[in-house]
mmCIF file of all heavy atoms in Angstrom:
data_model
loop_
_atom_site.group_PDB
_atom_site.id
_atom_site.type_symbol
_atom_site.label_atom_id
_atom_site.label_comp_id
_atom_site.label_asym_id
_atom_site.label_seq_id
_atom_site.Cartn_x
_atom_site.Cartn_y
_atom_site.Cartn_z
ATOM 1 N N TRP A 126 83.456 193.638 101.777
ATOM 2 C CA TRP A 126 84.490 194.438 102.432
ATOM 3 C C TRP A 126 84.555 194.181 103.927
ATOM 4 O O TRP A 126 85.620 194.241 104.541
ATOM 5 C CB TRP A 126 84.244 195.915 102.152
ATOM 6 C CG TRP A 126 85.433 196.789 102.416
ATOM 7 C CD1 TRP A 126 85.593 197.700 103.418
ATOM 8 C CD2 TRP A 126 86.647 196.841 101.645
ATOM 9 N NE1 TRP A 126 86.815 198.317 103.334
ATOM 10 C CE2 TRP A 126 87.486 197.808 102.248
ATOM 11 C CE3 TRP A 126 87.100 196.173 100.512
ATOM 12 C CZ2 TRP A 126 88.753 198.112 101.753
ATOM 13 C CZ3 TRP A 126 88.355 196.467 100.017
ATOM 14 C CH2 TRP A 126 89.168 197.430 100.638
ATOM 15 N N GLU A 127 83.412 193.884 104.544
ATOM 16 C CA GLU A 127 83.380 193.616 105.978
ATOM 17 C C GLU A 127 83.766 192.182 106.302
ATOM 18 O O GLU A 127 83.997 191.843 107.471
ATOM 19 C CB GLU A 127 81.985 193.916 106.541
ATOM 20 C CG GLU A 127 81.607 195.398 106.558
ATOM 21 C CD GLU A 127 81.321 195.944 105.159
ATOM 22 O OE1 GLU A 127 80.856 195.145 104.296
ATOM 23 O OE2 GLU A 127 81.575 197.138 104.917
ATOM 24 N N GLY A 128 83.786 191.308 105.300
ATOM 25 C CA GLY A 128 84.202 189.923 105.507
ATOM 26 C C GLY A 128 83.104 188.995 105.964
ATOM 27 O O GLY A 128 83.383 187.837 106.293
ATOM 28 N N GLY A 129 81.846 189.447 105.964
ATOM 29 C CA GLY A 129 80.766 188.610 106.472
ATOM 30 C C GLY A 129 79.902 187.965 105.417
ATOM 31 O O GLY A 129 79.127 187.049 105.725
ATOM 32 N N ARG A 130 79.999 188.396 104.165
ATOM 33 C CA ARG A 130 79.147 187.867 103.103
ATOM 34 C C ARG A 130 79.988 187.399 101.919
ATOM 35 O O ARG A 130 81.066 187.924 101.659
ATOM 36 C CB ARG A 130 78.134 188.927 102.641
ATOM 37 C CG ARG A 130 77.102 189.276 103.704
ATOM 38 C CD ARG A 130 76.114 190.321 103.201
ATOM 39 N NE ARG A 130 75.134 190.663 104.219
ATOM 40 C CZ ARG A 130 73.989 190.027 104.405
ATOM 41 N NH1 ARG A 130 73.664 189.014 103.606
ATOM 42 N NH2 ARG A 130 73.152 190.387 105.350
ATOM 43 N N LEU A 131 79.437 186.433 101.218
ATOM 44 C CA LEU A 131 80.146 185.867 100.077
ATOM 45 C C LEU A 131 79.970 186.742 98.838
ATOM 46 O O LEU A 131 78.875 187.223 98.558
ATOM 47 C CB LEU A 131 79.624 184.458 99.790
ATOM 48 C CG LEU A 131 80.355 183.680 98.684
ATOM 49 C CD1 LEU A 131 81.787 183.375 99.104
ATOM 50 C CD2 LEU A 131 79.607 182.383 98.366
ATOM 51 N N ASP A 132 81.058 186.929 98.129
ATOM 52 C CA ASP A 132 81.011 187.564 96.828
ATOM 53 C C ASP A 132 81.185 186.493 95.742
ATOM 54 O O ASP A 132 80.366 186.373 94.845
ATOM 55 C CB ASP A 132 82.108 188.631 96.726
ATOM 56 C CG ASP A 132 82.034 189.475 95.474
ATOM 57 O OD1 ASP A 132 81.969 188.888 94.368
ATOM 58 O OD2 ASP A 132 82.057 190.710 95.575
ATOM 59 N N PHE A 133 82.254 185.701 95.828
ATOM 60 C CA PHE A 133 82.452 184.620 94.858
ATOM 61 C C PHE A 133 83.060 183.395 95.531
ATOM 62 O O PHE A 133 84.061 183.496 96.241
ATOM 63 C CB PHE A 133 83.370 185.062 93.716
ATOM 64 C CG PHE A 133 83.541 184.014 92.643
ATOM 65 C CD1 PHE A 133 82.663 183.937 91.584
ATOM 66 C CD2 PHE A 133 84.557 183.072 92.726
ATOM 67 C CE1 PHE A 133 82.787 182.956 90.601
ATOM 68 C CE2 PHE A 133 84.703 182.088 91.760
ATOM 69 C CZ PHE A 133 83.814 182.030 90.689
ATOM 70 N N GLY A 134 82.419 182.257 95.287
ATOM 71 C CA GLY A 134 82.935 180.958 95.684
ATOM 72 C C GLY A 134 82.813 180.011 94.504
ATOM 73 O O GLY A 134 83.790 179.638 93.877
ATOM 74 N N TYR A 135 81.563 179.637 94.197
ATOM 75 C CA TYR A 135 81.253 178.878 92.994
ATOM 76 C C TYR A 135 80.718 179.824 91.915
ATOM 77 O O TYR A 135 80.022 180.803 92.215
ATOM 78 C CB TYR A 135 80.147 177.852 93.246
ATOM 79 C CG TYR A 135 80.504 176.676 94.099
ATOM 80 C CD1 TYR A 135 80.026 176.572 95.404
ATOM 81 C CD2 TYR A 135 81.263 175.617 93.602
ATOM 82 C CE1 TYR A 135 80.306 175.472 96.198
ATOM 83 C CE2 TYR A 135 81.556 174.508 94.387
ATOM 84 C CZ TYR A 135 81.072 174.443 95.680
ATOM 85 O OH TYR A 135 81.360 173.346 96.448
ATOM 86 N N GLY A 136 80.998 179.496 90.663
ATOM 87 C CA GLY A 136 80.342 180.153 89.546
ATOM 88 C C GLY A 136 79.502 179.137 88.797
ATOM 89 O O GLY A 136 79.901 177.981 88.643
ATOM 90 N N ILE A 137 78.306 179.541 88.358
ATOM 91 C CA ILE A 137 77.463 178.649 87.556
ATOM 92 C C ILE A 137 77.236 179.279 86.188
ATOM 93 O O ILE A 137 77.238 180.499 86.037
ATOM 94 C CB ILE A 137 76.117 178.349 88.250
ATOM 95 C CG1 ILE A 137 75.294 179.624 88.430
ATOM 96 C CG2 ILE A 137 76.336 177.654 89.578
ATOM 97 C CD1 ILE A 137 73.876 179.350 88.883
ATOM 98 N N ARG A 138 77.035 178.427 85.186
ATOM 99 C CA ARG A 138 76.823 178.867 83.815
ATOM 100 C C ARG A 138 75.357 178.682 83.436
ATOM 101 O O ARG A 138 74.750 177.652 83.747
ATOM 102 C CB ARG A 138 77.690 178.062 82.843
ATOM 103 C CG ARG A 138 79.173 178.018 83.185
ATOM 104 C CD ARG A 138 79.923 177.156 82.172
ATOM 105 N NE ARG A 138 79.396 175.799 82.113
ATOM 106 C CZ ARG A 138 79.594 174.958 81.082
ATOM 107 N NH1 ARG A 138 80.299 175.363 80.037
ATOM 108 N NH2 ARG A 138 79.102 173.740 81.100
ATOM 109 N N THR A 139 74.784 179.651 82.756
ATOM 110 C CA THR A 139 73.434 179.498 82.229
ATOM 111 C C THR A 139 73.518 179.051 80.770
ATOM 112 O O THR A 139 74.551 179.195 80.119
ATOM 113 C CB THR A 139 72.630 180.807 82.320
ATOM 114 O OG1 THR A 139 73.235 181.797 81.474
ATOM 115 C CG2 THR A 139 72.599 181.313 83.755
ATOM 116 N N PHE A 140 72.412 178.534 80.277
ATOM 117 C CA PHE A 140 72.407 177.979 78.919
ATOM 118 C C PHE A 140 72.684 179.034 77.860
ATOM 119 O O PHE A 140 73.115 178.711 76.747
ATOM 120 C CB PHE A 140 71.053 177.309 78.632
ATOM 121 C CG PHE A 140 69.952 178.282 78.285
ATOM 122 C CD1 PHE A 140 69.570 178.463 76.962
ATOM 123 C CD2 PHE A 140 69.315 179.032 79.266
ATOM 124 C CE1 PHE A 140 68.567 179.355 76.627
ATOM 125 C CE2 PHE A 140 68.324 179.931 78.948
ATOM 126 C CZ PHE A 140 67.944 180.089 77.615
ATOM 127 N N ASP A 141 72.446 180.335 78.190
ATOM 128 C CA ASP A 141 72.573 181.386 77.181
ATOM 129 C C ASP A 141 73.867 182.189 77.314
ATOM 130 O O ASP A 141 73.980 183.284 76.777
ATOM 131 C CB ASP A 141 71.366 182.328 77.240
ATOM 132 C CG ASP A 141 71.193 182.994 78.594
ATOM 133 O OD1 ASP A 141 71.753 182.505 79.586
ATOM 134 O OD2 ASP A 141 70.483 184.010 78.667
ATOM 135 N N GLY A 142 74.868 181.635 78.014
ATOM 136 C CA GLY A 142 76.179 182.263 78.048
ATOM 137 C C GLY A 142 76.454 183.157 79.236
ATOM 138 O O GLY A 142 77.559 183.682 79.367
ATOM 139 N N HIS A 143 75.483 183.343 80.102
ATOM 140 C CA HIS A 143 75.695 184.143 81.301
ATOM 141 C C HIS A 143 76.368 183.304 82.389
ATOM 142 O O HIS A 143 76.415 182.074 82.309
ATOM 143 C CB HIS A 143 74.362 184.676 81.840
ATOM 144 C CG HIS A 143 73.819 185.835 81.086
ATOM 145 N ND1 HIS A 143 74.250 187.119 81.293
ATOM 146 C CD2 HIS A 143 72.881 185.910 80.116
ATOM 147 C CE1 HIS A 143 73.594 187.939 80.499
ATOM 148 N NE2 HIS A 143 72.762 187.231 79.760
ATOM 149 N N GLY A 144 76.867 183.985 83.393
ATOM 150 C CA GLY A 144 77.409 183.323 84.558
ATOM 151 C C GLY A 144 76.913 184.016 85.809
ATOM 152 O O GLY A 144 76.656 185.229 85.800
ATOM 153 N N PHE A 145 76.729 183.260 86.875
ATOM 154 C CA PHE A 145 76.302 183.819 88.157
ATOM 155 C C PHE A 145 77.291 183.427 89.246
ATOM 156 O O PHE A 145 77.900 182.351 89.196
ATOM 157 C CB PHE A 145 74.912 183.310 88.551
ATOM 158 C CG PHE A 145 73.775 183.990 87.856
ATOM 159 C CD1 PHE A 145 73.131 183.370 86.792
ATOM 160 C CD2 PHE A 145 73.345 185.240 88.256
ATOM 161 C CE1 PHE A 145 72.072 183.988 86.142
ATOM 162 C CE2 PHE A 145 72.299 185.866 87.614
ATOM 163 C CZ PHE A 145 71.658 185.238 86.563
ATOM 164 N N GLN A 146 77.434 184.299 90.236
ATOM 165 C CA GLN A 146 78.188 183.993 91.446
ATOM 166 C C GLN A 146 77.212 183.349 92.426
ATOM 167 O O GLN A 146 76.361 184.029 92.990
ATOM 168 C CB GLN A 146 78.776 185.281 92.027
ATOM 169 C CG GLN A 146 79.747 185.990 91.092
ATOM 170 C CD GLN A 146 79.788 187.481 91.325
ATOM 171 O OE1 GLN A 146 79.358 188.259 90.485
ATOM 172 N NE2 GLN A 146 80.322 187.916 92.464
ATOM 173 N N LEU A 147 77.334 182.060 92.621
ATOM 174 C CA LEU A 147 76.380 181.330 93.451
ATOM 175 C C LEU A 147 76.426 181.846 94.886
ATOM 176 O O LEU A 147 77.494 181.927 95.492
ATOM 177 C CB LEU A 147 76.700 179.833 93.410
ATOM 178 C CG LEU A 147 75.714 178.916 94.136
ATOM 179 C CD1 LEU A 147 74.334 178.980 93.497
ATOM 180 C CD2 LEU A 147 76.229 177.482 94.129
ATOM 181 N N ASP A 148 75.257 182.181 95.408
ATOM 182 C CA ASP A 148 75.083 182.685 96.776
ATOM 183 C C ASP A 148 75.746 184.038 97.000
ATOM 184 O O ASP A 148 76.107 184.397 98.132
ATOM 185 C CB ASP A 148 75.576 181.673 97.817
ATOM 186 C CG ASP A 148 74.583 180.539 98.036
ATOM 187 O OD1 ASP A 148 73.445 180.658 97.548
ATOM 188 O OD2 ASP A 148 74.927 179.544 98.677
ATOM 189 N N PHE A 149 75.896 184.801 95.930
ATOM 190 C CA PHE A 149 76.411 186.154 96.065
ATOM 191 C C PHE A 149 75.553 186.947 97.057
ATOM 192 O O PHE A 149 74.332 186.959 96.975
ATOM 193 C CB PHE A 149 76.390 186.863 94.706
ATOM 194 C CG PHE A 149 76.745 188.321 94.766
ATOM 195 C CD1 PHE A 149 78.070 188.720 94.874
ATOM 196 C CD2 PHE A 149 75.756 189.298 94.739
ATOM 197 C CE1 PHE A 149 78.407 190.060 94.936
ATOM 198 C CE2 PHE A 149 76.073 190.643 94.798
ATOM 199 C CZ PHE A 149 77.405 191.027 94.902
ATOM 200 N N GLY A 150 76.216 187.596 98.010
ATOM 201 C CA GLY A 150 75.512 188.433 98.978
ATOM 202 C C GLY A 150 74.989 187.715 100.200
ATOM 203 O O GLY A 150 74.471 188.355 101.113
ATOM 204 N N ARG A 151 75.121 186.386 100.267
ATOM 205 C CA ARG A 151 74.603 185.661 101.432
ATOM 206 C C ARG A 151 75.644 185.641 102.550
ATOM 207 O O ARG A 151 76.857 185.645 102.292
ATOM 208 C CB ARG A 151 74.236 184.228 101.055
ATOM 209 C CG ARG A 151 73.136 184.120 100.016
ATOM 210 C CD ARG A 151 72.607 182.693 99.914
ATOM 211 N NE ARG A 151 71.822 182.520 98.699
ATOM 212 C CZ ARG A 151 70.563 182.902 98.540
ATOM 213 N NH1 ARG A 151 69.928 183.497 99.546
ATOM 214 N NH2 ARG A 151 69.929 182.704 97.407
ATOM 215 N N PRO A 152 75.185 185.589 103.812
ATOM 216 C CA PRO A 152 76.131 185.453 104.927
ATOM 217 C C PRO A 152 76.997 184.204 104.750
ATOM 218 O O PRO A 152 76.514 183.154 104.299
ATOM 219 C CB PRO A 152 75.223 185.332 106.152
ATOM 220 C CG PRO A 152 73.944 186.011 105.745
ATOM 221 C CD PRO A 152 73.788 185.721 104.284
ATOM 222 N N LEU A 153 78.255 184.312 105.107
ATOM 223 C CA LEU A 153 79.182 183.193 104.922
ATOM 224 C C LEU A 153 78.737 181.945 105.670
ATOM 225 O O LEU A 153 79.021 180.822 105.236
ATOM 226 C CB LEU A 153 80.588 183.591 105.380
ATOM 227 C CG LEU A 153 81.339 184.593 104.498
ATOM 228 C CD1 LEU A 153 82.676 184.940 105.122
ATOM 229 C CD2 LEU A 153 81.539 184.026 103.094
ATOM 230 N N THR A 154 78.045 182.134 106.771
ATOM 231 C CA THR A 154 77.646 180.983 107.579
ATOM 232 C C THR A 154 76.699 180.055 106.826
ATOM 233 O O THR A 154 76.659 178.853 107.106
ATOM 234 C CB THR A 154 76.958 181.454 108.868
ATOM 235 O OG1 THR A 154 75.907 182.390 108.531
ATOM 236 C CG2 THR A 154 77.947 182.128 109.801
ATOM 237 N N GLY A 155 75.939 180.589 105.872
ATOM 238 C CA GLY A 155 74.989 179.743 105.143
ATOM 239 C C GLY A 155 75.287 179.617 103.660
ATOM 240 O O GLY A 155 74.578 178.883 102.956
#
Side-chain angles (χ1 to χ4, degrees):
W126 197 250
E127 291 72 30
R130 293 180 180 272
L131 185 66
D132 187 308
F133 184 88
Y135 289 107
I137 63 170
R138 307 178 302 160
T139 65
F140 79 102
D141 59 341
H143 283 279
F145 281 102
Q146 299 152 248
L147 185 63
D148 282 349
F149 173 78
R151 298 193 195 280
L153 289 177
T154 51

